[in-house]
Amino acid sequence: MDHMERALCLARLALGHTSPNPAVGAVIVKNGLVISEGHTQPPGSAHAEIAALERAGERARGATIYVSLEPCSHFGRTPPCARAIIAAGIAEVHLAMIDPNPSVSGRGRDELEEAGIKTHVGEREEEARELNEAYIKFITTGWPFVSAKFAMSLDGKIATRSGDSKWITGEQARGYVHSLRQSADAIMVGVNTVIADDPRLTARGQGAEGSLKEPMRVIVDSQGRIPVTAQVLREPGKTLVAAARPLEPAKAGALVEAGAEVLELPAKDGLVDLEELLRALGKREITSVLVEGGGTLLGSLFDQGLVDKVVAFIAPVVIG
């Protein structure tokens, strides 16, 4: 495994725990040996480079650092990483990609080069971009990255006639779904899925280093039909019910009492305007949304060109 590949592996450990910041990995190498590593900590804590530099201490002087994203050059919740790299006496920096954040976008690299540090850009760039695809869309547009997940039979059905789609996936696929949920900021479903399947929509603690972070659950429920007994309202974490404006006050009140947050949005053809919903989620710094059904919601998102990525499970069965 080369050093940049290791930096990307470290970044994957952080994925799902750094939002709205990108997940970044850093590896410090001296005389051909790895002396220190780090990955992004939760927001407000150390960035990958700082974590690695702190572990390296004085040994960082004259070393080379491999980072999966350009070090930041501005003061946010933490001081700029580019300055910390310069202060530590690092001699050479390898960056997988330039940060698309308009407040960085090449400035970190420029600062390093002005300080006389040899800087290389582009090693494993494609992998680095895919790793932070949600961050890239969010930081450049203000909108979350939308992944549509569904399971289908060989004849193209996405659920059995009873409405239960659990038949499709085995244990391995279910484990993968939990890791997808863990790396998303929000999981979205339509109300029909909640009524038919009463899913929990939890990541069940599948995160890095045993974290129990649960993504926000978003139920698209134009008329407020979700039962107040639904499991999603009782699970740890937040549940947001997106309804078309105006929702009957009695329904809204009952949902709030059951533990949900109700967000009333403009209607489009009598249903929640999905563009307005995604825009509202972006304003809450939700960078990624995993949509898990049902067919009506998925169809609307595809029709409106709002899906960025598809995760499809195909089962070797025919439903008929």
Side-chain angles (χ1 to χ4, degrees):
M1 184 184 294
D2 65 40
H3 299 311
M4 189 61 83
E5 191 179 353
R6 177 60 188 161
L8 287 162
C9 287
L10 290 162
R12 282 188 195 95
L13 283 179
L15 202 58
H17 303 273
T18 62
S19 183
N21 294 335
V24 182
V27 176
I28 299 177
V29 179
K30 196 170 188 178
N31 302 325
L33 295 173
V34 172
I35 59 168
S36 175
E37 297 180 335
H39 57 70
T40 317
Q41 300 304 300
S45 306
H47 288 190
E49 303 92 315
I50 304 297
L53 289 168
E54 283 176 356
R55 288 192 183 109
E58 271 306 306
R59 294 176 300 157
R61 202 154 294 281
T64 298
I65 189 168
Y66 291 79
V67 194
S68 59
L69 183 73
E70 177 187 16
C72 61
S73 53
H74 62 297
F75 281 89
R77 282 182 261 206
T78 57
C81 293
R83 288 189 202 174
I85 288 171
I86 295 163
I90 290 280
E92 201 169 317
V93 179
H94 293 249
L95 317 173
M97 62 177 283
I98 294 296
D99 190 341
N101 183 345
S103 63
V104 184
S105 199
R107 290 189 186 92
R109 175 198 54 197
D110 294 347
E111 224 170 280
L112 295 169
E113 288 182 339
E114 280 161 21
I117 296 172
K118 195 185 281 187
T119 309
H120 312 266
V121 179
E123 278 172 57
R124 296 190 175 272
E125 181 170 2
E126 207 173 310
E127 289 165 66
R129 294 190 78 84
E130 187 177 350
L131 177 75
N132 274 308
E133 58 196 1
Y135 165 76
I136 292 169
K137 182 184 179 188
F138 174 75
I139 207 69
T140 53
T141 67
W143 285 51
F145 185 90
V146 179
S147 298
K149 178 230 123 185
F150 56 87
M152 60 188 277
S153 61
L154 288 176
D155 56 339
K157 302 287 196 301
I158 67 167
T160 51
R161 270 195 287 266
S162 68
D164 183 353
S165 58
K166 295 186 190 78
W167 52 267
I168 293 205
T169 48
E171 212 45 55
Q172 199 178 352
R174 278 195 288 273
Y176 180 57
V177 169
H178 285 305
S179 70
L180 285 175
R181 287 177 179 175
Q182 185 62 47
S183 60
D185 288 345
I187 301 165
M188 186 188 290
V189 295
V191 68
N192 290 336
T193 295
V194 176
I195 291 168
D197 294 348
D198 195 19
R200 291 171 60 188
L201 300 181
T202 60
R204 296 182 200 148
Q206 295 284 318
E209 297 168 3
S211 160
L212 291 172
K213 170 249 181 194
E214 288 293 348
M216 177 191 278
R217 295 175 291 275
V218 180
I219 316 301
V220 182
D221 183 9
S222 301
Q223 270 71 56
R225 294 188 297 124
I226 181 174
V228 290
T229 54
Q231 289 195 99
V232 287
L233 302 176
R234 298 199 300 271
E235 293 291 340
K238 285 186 184 171
T239 300
L240 180 76
V241 176
R245 187 184 296 145
L247 182 62
E248 288 173 33
K251 281 182 179 174
L255 286 169
V256 169
E257 206 162 301
E261 181 188 345
V262 177
L263 176 65
E264 294 186 46
L265 291 161
K268 193 175 182 181
D269 303 324
L271 300 170
V272 167
D273 185 326
L274 295 173
E275 286 196 5
E276 288 297 327
L277 172 55
L278 291 174
R279 193 175 282 120
L281 292 175
K283 283 183 179 151
R284 289 167 182 242
E285 296 197 323
I286 296 288
T287 66
S288 57
V289 178
L290 177 64
V291 185
E292 294 206 29
T296 307
L297 175 60
L298 286 166
S300 299
L301 287 164
F302 279 115
D303 288 348
Q304 293 174 47
L306 299 174
V307 176
D308 296 299
K309 186 175 190 173
V310 172
V311 182
F313 297 85
I314 301 174
V317 292
V318 173
I319 299 301

